[in-house]
Amino acid sequence: CVKEFSEKWGLKIEERELSLEERCGIQINRNDYQSYYTKDELDKNNIPTKLITITYNDKTIESYE
């Protein structure tokens, strides 16, 4: 469904899982002083697990889920 939609409108949609290190970086940037977190701590703090990148007409939008 997403592939058909993106092809119809000329969008390039990429989705990938974030690594534990990337998720830790998001948590640290939010307001924390700890340098490392467990997966459970990141999940508890609702830190995104996926990065979705949409490209259209040489413009890119990144969204975290």
Side-chain angles (χ1 to χ4, degrees):
C1 186
V2 171
K3 184 178 179 180
E4 292 169 1
F5 174 83
S6 65
E7 287 175 357
K8 178 179 178 179
W9 295 101
L11 302 171
K12 180 179 177 186
I13 300 173
E14 297 176 319
E15 183 177 321
R16 71 172 180 86
E17 295 290 325
L18 293 171
S19 69
L20 185 59
E21 290 78 17
E22 289 172 311
R23 293 182 74 204
C24 286
I26 292 170
Q27 176 65 38
I28 291 167
N29 286 336
R30 284 197 173 169
N31 66 350
D32 211 322
Y33 307 104
Q34 195 172 327
S35 62
Y36 190 80
Y37 289 88
T38 66
K39 179 187 178 305
D40 290 336
E41 290 172 316
L42 295 170
D43 291 343
K44 179 181 162 188
N45 290 324
N46 296 317
I47 300 302
T49 59
K50 293 181 183 179
L51 171 64
I52 301 169
T53 305
I54 302 170
T55 305
Y56 178 71
N57 285 341
D58 295 324
K59 294 181 183 169
T60 301
I61 298 171
E62 292 184 339
S63 176
Y64 294 93
E65 181 179 289

